[in-house]
Each structure stands twice: as structure tokens, then as C-alpha cells.
Amino acid sequence: MPAEQMIVQDLSESELLARIFPRLNHSPGILLGPGDDAALIAAPDGRTLISIDTQTQDQDFRLQWNNGYRTTGFDVGWKAAAQNLSDINAMGGTATSLVVSLTMPPSTPVEWVESFADGLTAAITALGPIDCSVAGGDLGRGREIAVTVAVVGSLAGLAPVVRSGAKPGHLLAVAGTLGRAAAGWALLESDVPLGSLSAELRALVDSQCRPLPPLAAGPAAARAGASAMLDISDGLLRDGNRLASASGVVLDFDPTALKAYAVPLEPAAALLGADAMPWVLGGGEDHGLLATFPAGVQLPEGFTAIGSVQAVVEPPGSGIRIAGQAADTVGWDHFAD
Amino acid sequence: MPAEQMIVQDLSESELLARIFPRLNHSPGILLGPGDDAALIAAPDGRTLISIDTQTQDQDFRLQWNNGYRTTGFDVGWKAAAQNLSDINAMGGTATSLVVSLTMPPSTPVEWVESFADGLTAAITALGPIDCSVAGGDLGRGREIAVTVAVVGSLAGLAPVVRSGAKPGHLLAVAGTLGRAAAGWALLESDVPLGSLSAELRALVDSQCRPLPPLAAGPAAARAGASAMLDISDGLLRDGNRLASASGVVLDFDPTALKAYAVPLEPAAALLGADAMPWVLGGGEDHGLLATFPAGVQLPEGFTAIGSVQAVVEPPGSGIRIAGQAADTVGWDHFAD
């Protein structure tokens, strides 16, 4: 056995694929899987949800972080799957398959690619869309690592939950975590060595590298009659403003409810000399859900009430308020102890 | 108005999207289009075909070619659409939608992105899948331009035409052109200035930059009972060998039929001091189809007979023969006048 590490350019494309395929799971909804020009997927209700997302090295992730952590292929595969599965979740659907394009330098270690495939499979399996698997893909060369995943999913006969259906008087709720991935990013970018972190803080790093979107919550919200929903991928306030704008409403957040998400982040904030609340309000990569429900609906499992939907009051401005105050006039001090 | 060119980093993502959306067509099969976390597409027969492909700058195309040609956004959009539409065609299906991820440096001119969107729309419209449009996408930053398209399509109740169904005695046929894109690539890489090319030679360059896959031919082949089919994306012999291997057969090409594809390329070959036949046998980016049909089937419109399917004879070797000789022992001289 050679001591040196095997890299992608040492293998033909078919040799590399032969190392990837055994690492993928196989679901019965894939009527025809990898090996032809296209895959064939079951779409039992006669419709299919579809979304696409790209992660690019040094834009969406660093291979080497300031605190010493090295992003693994497993991380990149997990995160690529998770953020795409979340897009289907946010419509109230369940993912049925992924197609994956991996572009990378020829010097990429083969082990990195195998680990990437393992990460895809682990995310699909751990996060829960049981009948989902990788149906096909594409391998290519580039100067940097870039992963694009397209995901298809099923609404199982339900109407899609769009961004534009929130109405004044509806409840505002969140599923999943807020701010954990942002706290993890701050730790990764800090000078605090990875090895010195407590298990609790290390778990925040994991939230950035391998997020845990609440994949049962989206279909549950659709069944419960959610009026609007989206994936919190760019931050609670920014994504909330998108929902408010699409629906023509204002979202009024309850500061006490928000504070509950900041408390578990305070040890990390203290370590870094930072505030936890901006992570809660501005951090997106937890891939939680923000949803609205008609008044009187019992929130489905996994959702926590976080505010209410209000009518727009002139003059127009941000679609976000916190305790009735326009959020762009609310400083972080509002949340100080 | 500033004289300098507007670049991508001068605009927010929503401003850039507002310049892209009006340039896209809209088909009735898109039940819910861009603007939510996922799009919703009709899948009338309860199944959906899906495929994904990436084109990366300096790997799949050059922005600036040796002969002076500059690849336009329009070219990249057209080619990205065309090669993905071809993957659905090769299964016997019709594309219903594309989702498009565009990664680019912040210095990319906005006009390039607008032209890219125009190219996507023009390819969809010109190549013919009438009920197809862009359903969604993703914009991101990277060091180089990379475009990933995922395409979904419908088989309209037909069985998919896979690579593995060819049987000895079946007819071998091709739809579309062979070698034109490869000849165009050779012209682009040559020292012959673009401006000096005749209209006929310039059309070969266009075949490389804006290929014309025969999109009616795939569904026609499926309806006619094609036994195996694939997209010729890597070259006739290489892709033919994949079909032969998947089917457990040998493909025997008729040199006279192959020669007919080389003749129109001979002016380009003469200009460059090259041979035309390697372009026919090894060039892939025309995105034609290679298909097999049971004996006695009348070839559907658009297909030309190019050989026959034979049983494997020991010892095993290449799955490709030309006039009965193993192709790897057939020199290009075989085709010399």
C-alpha cells in the first residue's frame, strides 16, 4: 500500500463512482437510479417539489477554520443534504430524492469524496425523510470545491405552504433552533482553540457544520393548516421580513420568547465577549422554520409560539417589530439583562 | 449614467433577481414558480425524470478562446439548458422545468447575467419542449463561473429508455449531428482568427457554443419502441461503449454511414490540417442520441441507421466494432479516401 494519499486525479470517473455508490442509501421511491442519463422518481400525487442550492468553498464554508477545525467531506455532504431537505420541509413537503453535483480540484483526496458521500447518506438517514436517497449526480473539476444539490419532494396531496398567506391575527411560531449555527460560526472564526471547548460549546460548532433542520415539522405544519412558512436560512429577522413582505403584514416578535433562545448561547457569548441575541435574530444556518397559523390552531409538535401577525400601519417600513417597536429601531440593548 | 459597466456586486440579490425573472418564460406546468423555498411542478403520470449537470469556467468552457471568440452569458445559458434537456430526451422524455444555480465572481458584469438568462430562455424556446421553463434557482459567489442545472421531465406514461436494453440483431441509429461541436472546439482553439471564418465554419463554432440537441427524437424513439438509448455527450465511441457494456452486447458501426458525418466537416479539417473522422467518433457536445431498435421497426423521424447490435464474441474487449473490426484496432486510416 502506498503511504501517500490517493487523490481524485488518480482515478477514472467510473472508478470514483464505484467508491461512491456503495455509500449511498437506496429508497423504493427511486424507480430508476444512477447509471442512465436521468433518474426516474415516483411522484404519487402528480406533482413534485423542487429546489436547488450550491455551497462553494470559502464562500459557504472554509476548509480550514481559524480555531483549527478542518471541514470534512462528511460535513459538506451533511450540510448540502440538510439545507436542501429543509427547503422541501419549508413547503410542507417530504423529500423523495436528491441529485448531487460535486465539482472539485483534481488534488482532492479520494477519502474526502468518500466521506462526502457518507455525509449525504448520514444526513438523509438521521434527519428522517425515510424514503429519500440520492438518485443521480455529476462529477466535475474546478479550482475550488463546489457542491450543488437539487432536491425533489412530495406534498402527499396537501397544498404547498407559501410565504404569502399570513394574515393579521395569525400566530407566529418557530420550529428548530435559532442562533446555534451562528454561535458555532463565531467559535470557528475565533482564536479559541477547538480542543479547549467544552462539549456544550463543541455542540454549537457541530450545529454550524452539520445542522439539524426539524424535518418532521414542515409536513406537520401543513397538516395543521399553517398559513405561511419559510426556511430560516439567512436569519430570523431577514427571513421574517421576506415572509412579512410576501404576505403584506407585519410580524411582531415577543422579546421574552426570543430571549429563551439566547440563554443557552450565553456561555459562548461570554467566552467570545459577544452578545447572544444577534445570533438568535441574525443567524440563519440552523435551518429552522418560521410559520404562521390561524388563531385558535393548536401548534403542531415542534413549534414554539414566538409572536403574532399584525396589520401594516402607515408609514410603511420594516415588516418586523419586536414588542411593537420597529425592529430597525430596536437595539440589542433591548435584550440586555 | 455612469460609463463604467455595472457588476454583480453593485446589486443586491433581489435586485439581480428582478433583472433575471422578466427574461424567463413561464409554462403552465409550473404550479408554483420562483419566490418560495421550492417550486412545484406538475408530474401528470405520477413520475418525474431528473438529472443534474455542472459547467465550470475553464473546464467546460473558456471565457476567452484562442481564436478571439469570447463566450457570452447567452452561450453559457443556452448550453447549460441544452445539455440538460438532452438528458431528459435520452430517456425518451420531455423536460418540464429547470432549476438553475449560478455561481460567479462579484466582478461579473450584470449584462453577462442578463444575457445568461436570455440564453436559457432562448434554448428552451428554440429547442422545443414547449411546456418547459425555469422554476427556480440559486445565486452565489465563487472564484469562477459555474452553472449547475437540474432538469425534471415527463415520460407521459411511457417506459424510460435505458442503456441496458440492446439485444443482438437490433438496429443501431443516431439522431442529431456528430462531430460538429468538436470541429467548432478545434476552430476556437486554433490560431485562425474568428473573423476570417466562412459562414459554414462559423456555424461549427456555434455548434460548440450553442448546441442543438434533437429534442423531438427522444420521445419519438420511446414511442417507436427503442430498446436502448443515451445522449452522446462524451463521444460516439465512448458513449457507445457504455451502452454496449450496460446491454452486454457489441455495437458494430457501418463505416460508410460514419463517413457521411465526416464529409461536411472536411473544409474545417483541411483548414486546420486535421482529420474529420476523430471529431465524428470522439466529439460529444453535439448532444445527439445513440439508440437501438428491434429489427423491423421503422426508424422514427430524425434517426439515421448507423450500424447493428451484435452478440459478444470471446475474448471480451471493447464493445465497439467498425465493420466488424474491434474499434481500438481500427486506425483513422480506415476512413481515409
Side-chain angles (χ1 to χ4, degrees), chain A residues 36 43 46 48 54 101 143-144, chain B residues 41 43 46 48 54 101 143-144 163:
Chain A
D36 275 278
T48 188
T54 297
S101 180
R143 271 183 283 173
E144 54 198 347
Chain B
I41 313 297
T48 189
T54 297
S101 180
R143 271 182 284 175
E144 54 199 348
R163 300 179 178 189

Side-chain angles (χ1 to χ4, degrees), chain A residues 31-32 35-44 46-54 56-59 87-88 90-91 99-101 103 137-138 141-144 148-150 152 155 160-163 229-231, chain B residues 31-32 35-44 46-54 56-59 87-88 90-91 99-101 103 137-138 141-144 148-150 152 155 160-163 229-231:
Chain A
L31 305 175
L32 181 69
D36 275 278
D37 290 290
L40 188 64
I41 313 298
R47 302 170 302 167
T48 188
L49 290 164
I50 183 161
S51 183
I52 191 166
D53 268 312
T54 297
T56 303
Q57 170 189 337
D58 301 328
Q59 301 290 331
D87 283 326
I88 298 299
M91 304 301 292
V99 289
V100 180
S101 180
T103 301
D138 186 36
R141 290 179 177 203
R143 271 183 283 173
E144 54 198 347
T148 303
V149 175
V152 301
L155 283 164
V161 185
V162 297
R163 300 180 177 188
M229 187 156 61
L230 48 52
D231 168 38
Chain B
L31 305 176
L32 181 68
D36 275 279
D37 290 292
L40 187 64
I41 313 297
R47 302 170 301 167
T48 189
L49 290 163
I50 184 163
S51 183
I52 191 167
D53 267 311
T54 297
T56 304
Q57 170 189 337
D58 300 330
Q59 300 291 330
D87 283 326
I88 298 299
M91 303 303 290
V99 289
V100 180
S101 180
T103 301
D138 186 35
R141 289 177 177 207
R143 271 182 284 175
E144 54 199 348
T148 303
V149 175
V152 302
L155 283 163
V161 185
V162 297
R163 300 179 178 189
M229 187 155 62
L230 49 51
D231 168 40

Side-chain angles (χ1 to χ4, degrees), chain B residues 57-137:
Chain B
Q57 170 189 337
D58 300 330
Q59 300 291 330
D60 299 288
F61 61 92
R62 298 192 200 288
L63 286 180
Q64 173 72 61
W65 295 85
N66 194 58
N67 78 339
Y69 186 71
R70 292 180 69 86
T71 297
T72 63
F74 190 93
D75 293 341
V76 174
W78 178 294
K79 193 165 176 175
Q83 71 183 24
N84 276 276
L85 295 170
S86 180
D87 283 326
I88 298 299
N89 192 39
M91 303 303 290
T94 303
T96 53
S97 73
L98 309 176
V99 289
V100 180
S101 180
L102 174 60
T103 301
M104 57 197 160
S107 59
T108 305
V110 171
E111 189 275 335
W112 195 95
V113 180
E114 293 174 340
S115 169
F116 170 78
D118 289 339
L120 287 171
T121 302
I124 292 170
T125 308
L127 296 173
I130 292 166
D131 284 340
C132 182
S133 58
V134 174

